[in-house]
Amino acid sequence: MASVKHSFLLLLPLLLISSSFVQRSSAAGFAVYWGQNGGEGTLADACNTGNYQFINIAFLATFGNGQTPQLNLAGHCDATAGTCNVFSDQIKACQSKGIKVLLSLGGGSGGYSLSSADDANQVAQYLWNNFLGGSSGSQLIKIISNPYKSEIPINQNTICYVIPVVTRPLGDAVLDGIDFDIKAGDGQHWDELAKALKGLNQNLILSAAPQCPFPDAHLSNAINTGLFNYVWVQFYNNAQCMYTNGNTNNLLSSWNQWNSVQAGQVFLGVPASQAAAPSGGFIPTDVMNSQVLPAIKGSAKYGGVMIWDRFNDLQNKYSDAIKGSV
């Protein structure tokens, strides 16, 4: 009997270590959007702050419905010229720090849509092969050289060169997941895109950034699949569910609704400055620290704070001012 007690005492520290690890791994943090302002610094700069646990690279602004997908990273690079692969090593460096890096789909441009379940599956395959764990392989371009330099039919004297061209816009870095920031269309087929992505890899991180009116007009069906690890709700630009003129009631009431969704964790999405949300919703840091965060941190699905965006956070030092309360 004494040996059993002794064994238990030896195991107790291990149990305590394991328990503390689980608590740390689920601790609250920050998610931020990066990519829409050339003045926000590099991706490496953002990761080196130590403030962010999730970075959404914004945006894949054009895709679906037969369109050629286009990555739009504002002044950072030109994806059509192949210069965005400069961020491949920076993505890997961020990931080495434990930061999850996601590709955000959509944004406010409206140049995207899904026309059918088959379209959703094709987009999922494109994302998998060009940004995630799949392989885009190479596009083979055949260059024909005619030694006679005359207009004669191609024959055995014609020399053909096949040159592989790598198509991954961000280079060979493998992103951790996909963020749905969908603000256009009728909300159809995003659930099928989520299912197709999870079908390719169950461990793939999926996040969604709905507007705060509940339920969201574009992402409700997708979120209801229960496949999303994180939902960072945009509590701004919508008067009925955001902080206004010193009043937190609408914000907190909406938060309680969103806390019921089928997702792993829910984040409070806020603008980092008044300029970041022209239609309102900016919450002063003292209000965040004293009123908002204390009221929501006890929620079962509270995950942290999502910040729009890195440029405004850099200018306003918003995350620095509230990280002690998150």
Side-chain angles (χ1 to χ4, degrees), residues 233-267:
V233 185
Q234 300 179 40
F235 287 97
Y236 46 94
N237 294 335
N238 292 278
Q240 67 268 42
C241 49
M242 69 185 189
Y243 173 83
T244 309
N245 299 325
N247 192 325
T248 63
N249 291 337
N250 289 345
L251 171 70
L252 296 178
S253 177
S254 181
W255 169 264
N256 289 334
Q257 288 182 301
W258 281 103
N259 198 51
S260 67
V261 298
Q262 300 180 56
Q265 291 184 323
V266 179
F267 280 56

Side-chain angles (χ1 to χ4, degrees), residues 88 91-92 95 101 131-134 168 170-177:
S88 182
I91 291 168
K92 295 174 187 176
Q95 292 170 327
V101 184
F131 296 97
L132 303 169
R168 292 178 73 94
L170 293 172
D172 62 356
V174 176
L175 299 184
D176 297 290

